[in-house]
Amino acid sequence: MDFVAIDFETATSLWTSICSMGICVVKNNKIIETKGMLFKPVPFEFNESNIAIHGITPQMVWDKPQFCDCWKKIKPYIEGKLVIAHNASFDVGALKRTLDMFGIDAPSFDYLCTVKLSQKAYPELPSHKLNALGEAFDINFSHHTASDDAYACAKVFLHIIEDFGINSLEDIKDKFDIEAGKMYKGFVEPCRKNRKKAPCAK
């Protein structure tokens, strides 16, 4: 499958305070690119609790571009693509709200949440947090570093693809009863996890 995994870190509790983004591009089930970007959040404010989580300080981003300044470079990664995120409601919501704040039209894409997918695929695991899944699947990454989180998210989805023989969104719906979410201009449809018995691996 082809998809792109994304992750955002924020400077405060506001979803629009994006200070970092991670992108991991997958083609034919192979990771071909992983990158991270730092942004100067708007407004330029940081909470100590957020800094404690991701380690990004005001000094690290005071001279970085704002998210809107980089959008033309970011958009081709996700426009029309299948986008994957861990706790996708936050990442897709942060993207939508930030674009709205800057008066930028939202792109169109389908998206899936690896929290929901991993809960259906591996209900026996005690936790479906990204760091716990990393330990379960032997994924080496630095948690809350956006580029690493995007990479780990991609690896989790690839693990599910391999274990359950996934080749399409239809396979996701058939095996997990999960509907892909959608973003398009002016609206976001949530990724839906219906209550269906956990599937068997191939």
Side-chain angles (χ1 to χ4, degrees), residues 155-167:
K155 293 286 285 186
V156 167
F157 190 49
L158 287 169
H159 202 282
I160 294 170
I161 285 172
E162 174 64 24
D163 283 352
F164 292 87
I166 301 297
N167 294 299

Side-chain angles (χ1 to χ4, degrees), residues 116 120 176-181 189-194:
K116 290 179 170 65
K120 283 291 189 79
F176 301 109
D177 202 18
I178 289 178
E179 296 275 358
E189 294 181 6
C191 175
R192 303 182 187 279
K193 181 181 75 170
N194 300 314

Side-chain angles (χ1 to χ4, degrees), residues 6-21 39 42 50 67-68 71 74 78 85-104 106-107 109 111 183 188:
I6 64 171
D7 180 77
F8 291 112
E9 301 294 333
T10 58
T12 70
S13 60
L14 295 175
W15 287 12
T16 53
S17 65
I18 293 173
C19 60
S20 182
M21 180 181 186
F39 309 108
V42 179
N50 290 65
F67 184 83
C68 59
W71 176 241
I74 296 169
I78 60 178
H86 203 72
N87 189 20
S89 61
F90 166 75
D91 293 285
V92 174
L95 175 61
K96 177 64 167 58
R97 293 185 191 185
T98 301
L99 293 174
D100 286 346
M101 180 180 69
F102 287 118
I104 300 171
F109 58 80
Y111 70 92
M183 176 184 273
V188 174

